[in-house]
Every structure is written in C-alpha cells, then in structure tokens.
Amino acid sequence: MNSKRRVLLKGTLAAGTVGVAVGAGVLTPRNVLAETRGAFQEGSMDEILKTALGSDRHEAGHVRVEAPNIAENGAVVPVTVESDLDGVTEIAILAAANSTPLTSRYELGEGTRPKISTRIKMGETSDIVAVVKSGDGLYSGRKEVKVTVGGCGG
C-alpha cells in the first residue's frame, strides 16, 4: 500500500514541477517536430543545417565535443556538447556519415548553461559535429569517432 502512495506522490510532484516550469516560461510547449521535420531526413549536412538552424555557415570554435575515440557499439554512442559562449539558444548534433545526419536538436531557455549530454546512433566511423547558435552566429566543434559495430543495422 505504501509503494502505491509513493508512486502517486512522486507522479504528482513531477507533474506539478512541469506545470511550474511551463508557467514560468522555462518550458514552452509547442510543435517543435513540425518546425524541424525536414531536418531529420536524408540530405547533406549543409541542407540539414539550413533547415534546422536557418543557415549552413558556421565558424569553428567555442564548442567542445566529448565522445569516445572508439565506440564499441554504434547504437549507443555517448556525446557531450558544451560551449563557452553566452546567449546560446540552440544546439544541433550531427553524425556526418549517417544517412540522416541530424541526430538531435535542442532549444535552450534564456540563461541556460549550454551543455547537452546524450547518446546518439552512428552507422559507421564518422565525425560528430555540434553546431550552436548564439545571437546571429553559428559556431561548431567536431570529433571523429571510430565505430566497430554499426548502430544503424550494421
């Protein structure tokens, strides 16, 4: 009986926290998938960046990509992206050799520390490219990851 009560209390607390975050403007619910649907398709990295972030012109620097040098399993490659820039509003992570290069895209709230940790899927050895949007500029960092067992059916 106590475990059911705990689950109910935890769920209520979680829902309340999300409600407060939405009310404070930290989380803004909207149809992000519809806005970026075209970016999660096959295409060149330039085409994908234009769709996802509005431009394909990016300057190298100010972005650090952490990932293993060798990924034993391409289905779960841990990646951390961090920037030293202020005012970062968006972060996109791409695996250059994937048939659909864009693995994830994040919109950050005002004052959010520009750091994302996730796991991506890679079909083969490739550069992981992270692009951040700060003001009107795009900045990028990259890291090569060698994949021993592909994660996209390989």
Side-chain angles (χ1 to χ4, degrees):
M1 189 73 152
N2 269 345
S3 66
K4 288 182 181 179
R5 183 171 178 231
R6 280 192 195 124
V7 170
L8 175 67
L9 290 174
K10 286 180 183 179
T12 303
L13 179 61
T17 302
V18 169
V20 169
V22 169
V26 176
L27 290 175
T28 52
R30 55 191 186 119
N31 194 351
V32 175
L33 181 59
E35 293 176 5
T36 59
R37 182 171 287 134
F40 288 100
Q41 296 180 6
E42 291 184 13
S44 72
M45 287 212 353
D46 289 343
E47 293 169 341
I48 301 302
L49 284 174
K50 276 185 183 178
T51 304
L53 299 176
S55 175
D56 62 347
R57 297 181 180 263
H58 51 92
E59 179 181 325
H62 300 286
V63 180
R64 189 176 77 225
V65 178
E66 292 179 19
N69 292 325
I70 299 173
E72 302 272 332
N73 182 352
V76 287
V77 181
V79 177
T80 298
V81 175
E82 189 170 15
S83 177
D84 61 4
L85 295 167
D86 290 327
V88 172
T89 57
E90 296 179 57
I91 298 176
I93 302 174
L94 302 98
N98 281 5
S99 60
T100 55
L102 185 63
T103 65
S104 51
R105 178 179 169 264
Y106 305 89
E107 290 187 16
L108 306 179
E110 188 176 326
T112 302
R113 180 177 171 208
K115 182 175 182 178
I116 300 291
S117 290
T118 189
R119 295 184 187 280
I120 67 170
K121 188 179 278 194
M122 296 178 66
E124 60 187 88
T125 297
S126 173
D127 279 349
I128 295 174
V129 180
V131 181
V132 302
K133 186 174 190 175
S134 177
D136 290 336
L138 296 179
Y139 304 88
S140 64
R142 67 178 52 229
K143 165 114 192 228
E144 182 185 44
V145 175
K146 294 181 187 334
V147 176
T148 57
V149 176
C152 299

